[in-house]
Amino acid sequence: MATLPGSDPSSHGSLLESPLLLPSKDSGWESGPGSEPHKLCIDDMLQKYCGEFGSWQLRHFVLTSLAWALEAFHTMVMIFADQEPAWRCTKGSGSACDEEKSVCGLEPGSWEWKGGSGSSTVAQWGLVCGDKYKVGLVQALFFGGCMIGAGIFGHLSDSKLGRKGSLTAVCILNAIFGCLTSSAPNYFTYLLLRFLTGFSTGGVGLCSFVLSTEPVGPTKRGAAGMSTFYFFSSGIALLSGIAYIFPAWRALYIASSIPSILFLVLVIPFISESPRWYLVRGKMNEAMKIMRTIAKSNGNHLPDGVILALDDEANDASNDNQSCKEATMKKEAITGSVVDVVQSPITRFRLFLAVGINFTCSVVYYGLSLNVVNLETNLYLNVLLNAVAEMPAFTITALLLDKFGRKPLAIGTQWFTAIFCFMGSLMGNVGIWKAIRMCCGILGIFGMAGTYNLLFIYTAELFPTVVRNAALGCATQAAQMGAILAPFVVVLGGGFPFLVFGVSGLIGGMLAYYLPETLNKPLYDTMTGMEEGERAWIVA
């Protein structure tokens, strides 16, 4: 088992000395007159010269990860905007109204919404009784839009737009669609605008995660990636306060969309494009400029004789009668897509497993979250507590990530959730058993929150830079499919949903068993570099 990163100066010596990377040299290496430049992969350069997580990476990570709060706003706003508000009988309606527990059996005019017709979309368009399914339809189409958007923006961020360009595009679309939603004149317009909002929201977390973690060194990347979900949970907690201040659904959509505009104006200009994306696109000067900026901001020095190279270039001992610098500077842009992922036996199997795990985890996470919402408590307080409850799972998983590795945690957290879900399925919903079942649900959410957080960093490390966002996009699409299915499982009621969640967690853990461990392995840039690197690790 690998030692804990940072606990031993030689804990990563095997990485630097393996056939994958250039043999390690003295950190003060400089090229002499007439000597060829020293080619290093980004991970090597970060570890050796620039710093793995200094002040530059910290600032960039925080600014970029703020986008997760925006995704939380646009996703969870439906909890408040589409809620069924309380109702009351009108004066003179008679005792028959007072005895009813539902408005479905009451005559029109004998009751009214306490907050008025503008309190939610349900009150605005009468989405109750026979039209209650329309609320679920809005939720399903939103996640359907997320599924489509994740795939499209995942490809665009790997190709033409880049990470920063894609993040900018989705934030612009979110701001536009969010504000337009507030003025929807009827249900079907609202349905369409929520679908379009989902389309753009599907790329927010995806682009933000990759952009924030790619400039981080290999030994710090795991903890950094795990920390991104604090911003998502914080966004949910903050949204509960915003919803409390703006109880009317139209005002709430505007209030939850304004942060996207502020992010575009105040944050995006101070975010840098990923040097890894520049490298695989053949923009060596831009990539080196960012690496020099990182080194300088972190108080380190990047020697003039050191240049970046892709994995396969760093492994190539010959330069084909051309200087190392010329070969790298003239390197053509390398692109990749889902087709490339499927064509490679290694990445094809990994993609299949990642899609399956993301699907099952999403069913459990969103399903258990919806079960908690069914508690008869204050809605604003309930959402706040749910968000806060996820944070300890993030902390514990992050602390154990580099000690036990990605694979054992992925298996353990899913099976932890499965155990408590199976227990919940065996308990009734009366007396003390009702409280115990509630605790089982909370512990299930606790375990699955850790899994959900882990999956992003794990999935990102399984694929090379040239197809990373495309692969993440597929995994995110699978997660959105699970999110669409979850509400239909919840409505079945009783112990059956817990049984489904338990089986899903069990299957997800079994699939994770077949994934390779990525702890202390570098982020590969190309398909060729990954295949050579994996062979080198097997031999070692």
Side-chain angles (χ1 to χ4, degrees):
M1 181 179 291
T3 58
L4 180 66
S7 61
D8 181 23
S10 62
S11 61
H12 301 286
S14 60
L15 284 178
L16 298 176
E17 296 169 3
S18 70
L20 168 67
L21 303 176
L22 202 66
S24 59
K25 298 185 179 183
D26 185 75
S27 59
W29 184 92
E30 296 277 0
S31 61
S35 63
E36 292 181 347
H38 186 28
K39 301 175 71 173
L40 287 177
C41 298
I42 287 184
D43 280 348
D44 273 355
M45 188 173 289
L46 289 171
Q47 285 184 309
K48 208 170 185 184
Y49 298 108
C50 301
E52 294 193 69
F53 196 78
S55 59
W56 190 95
Q57 285 103 330
L58 176 61
R59 179 185 63 84
H60 184 264
F61 175 81
V62 171
L63 291 177
T64 308
S65 297
L66 288 174
W68 278 102
L70 305 181
E71 178 173 347
F73 290 163
H74 292 286
T75 301
M76 299 303 178
V77 68
M78 69 178 67
I79 296 177
F80 303 100
D82 299 338
Q83 65 171 303
E84 183 174 333
W87 60 276
R88 62 192 172 196
C89 298
T90 58
K91 292 182 179 181
S93 57
S95 59
C97 177
D98 297 329
E99 296 175 357
E100 288 289 339
K101 295 183 178 180
S102 172
V103 300
C104 297
L106 296 176
E107 293 292 331
S110 62
W111 62 275
E112 63 182 2
W113 300 111
K114 286 186 177 181
S117 61
S119 58
S120 75
T121 59
V122 173
Q124 184 83 63
W125 297 305
L127 307 181
V128 292
C129 304
D131 288 334
K132 193 172 183 178
Y133 74 94
K134 292 182 178 180
V135 177
L137 182 60
V138 171
Q139 182 179 13
L141 282 184
F142 173 84
F143 286 117
C146 288
M147 182 175 63
I148 298 173
I152 292 177
F153 287 107
H155 174 71
L156 290 176
S157 65
D158 277 336
S159 54
K160 295 181 179 180
L161 290 183
R163 280 70 161 123
K164 181 180 177 179
S166 297
L167 182 60
T168 303
V170 294
C171 287
I172 292 174
L173 293 176
N174 265 346
I176 295 174
F177 294 143
C179 291
L180 288 177
T181 302
S182 67
S183 59
N186 52 59
Y187 169 78
F188 292 103
T189 304
Y190 175 72
L191 189 72
L192 174 62
L193 289 171
R194 283 302 288 166
F195 171 78
L196 294 175
T197 304
F199 172 77
S200 55
T201 302
V204 174
L206 177 69
C207 298
S208 172
F209 178 84
V210 175
L211 183 57
S212 64
T213 56
E214 283 193 336
V216 179
T219 66
K220 307 297 182 182
R221 192 180 302 124
M226 295 286 288
S227 300
T228 58
F229 281 85
Y230 284 109
F231 295 87
F232 185 81
S233 297
S234 298
I236 298 175
L238 184 59
L239 177 64
S240 64
I242 296 175
Y244 182 79
I245 297 173
F246 301 96
W249 74 272
R250 294 186 186 274
L252 178 58
Y253 269 109
I254 294 178
S256 61
S257 300
I258 289 177
S260 294
I261 300 175
L262 296 177
F263 184 83
L264 288 167
V265 176
L266 302 179
V267 178
I268 285 290
F270 301 98
I271 293 178
S272 299
E273 180 57 88
S274 169
R276 295 181 187 273
W277 182 80
Y278 276 139
L279 182 61
V280 298
R281 295 296 292 178
K283 299 180 179 181
M284 176 58 64
N285 291 330
E286 290 85 346
M288 284 301 302
K289 182 179 179 180
I290 293 178
M291 298 304 289
R292 292 190 184 97
T293 301
I294 294 175
K296 183 177 180 180
S297 299
N298 292 344
N300 298 320
H301 173 62
L302 182 60
D304 294 335
V306 178
I307 63 172
L308 285 172
L310 297 171
D311 300 312
D312 47 358
E313 290 177 327
N315 293 334
D316 192 359
S318 66
N319 291 316
D320 297 327
N321 299 323
Q322 189 178 31
S323 72
C324 172
K325 186 172 183 178
E326 289 176 345
T328 306
M329 292 299 180
K330 295 181 180 179
K331 183 72 177 179
E332 294 182 356
I334 299 177
T335 59
S337 65
V338 177
V339 176
D340 299 299
V341 178
V342 175
Q343 286 179 342
S344 171
I346 297 177
T347 54
R348 179 172 61 243
F349 186 59
R350 293 181 179 184
L351 182 64
F352 168 78
L353 295 175
V355 165
I357 295 171
N358 275 270
F359 175 81
T360 56
C361 287
S362 184
V363 171
V364 179
Y365 177 80
Y366 285 103
L368 289 175
S369 297
L370 291 176
N371 266 347
V372 176
V373 172
N374 288 331
L375 296 176
E376 296 180 1
T377 58
N378 182 284
L379 181 61
Y380 306 102
L381 180 61
N382 195 13
V383 173
L384 175 63
L385 293 178
N386 288 343
V388 173
E390 295 179 1
M391 295 185 183
F394 300 156
T395 303
I396 294 174
T397 314
L399 292 175
L400 299 179
L401 183 66
D402 288 334
K403 184 175 183 179
F404 295 104
R406 282 68 163 148
K407 181 176 178 177
L409 283 181
I411 298 173
T413 53
Q414 291 182 85
W415 284 357
F416 177 90
T417 295
I419 291 173
F420 285 100
C421 287
F422 283 131
M423 291 175 60
S425 68
L426 300 175
M427 299 174 186
N429 200 29
V430 293
I432 191 173
W433 298 111
K434 181 178 180 180
I436 296 177
R437 173 181 278 188
M438 183 189 305
C439 292
C440 289
I442 294 174
L443 290 172
I445 291 177
F446 172 84
M448 194 50 62
T451 306
Y452 227 83
N453 194 11
L454 167 68
L455 278 183
F456 255 83
I457 184 65
Y458 198 4
T459 306
E461 292 178 341
L462 288 171
F463 301 93
T465 303
V466 70
V467 294
R468 183 169 299 121
N469 258 25
L472 275 173
C474 291
T476 304
Q477 285 178 304
Q480 301 304 338
M481 292 178 64
I484 294 173
L485 178 63
F488 297 101
V489 176
V490 172
V491 298
L492 297 176
F496 184 74
F498 275 101
L499 180 62
V500 173
F501 303 150
V503 172
S504 298
L506 181 63
I507 294 175
M510 294 173 63
L511 292 176
Y513 177 80
Y514 294 97
L515 285 175
E517 180 57 71
T518 60
L519 178 63
N520 293 339
K521 288 187 178 180
L523 278 181
Y524 299 106
D525 295 320
T526 63
M527 301 292 285
T528 303
M530 185 198 68
E531 292 171 357
E532 293 177 354
E534 290 301 307
R535 284 196 295 268
W537 274 89
I538 293 175
V539 172

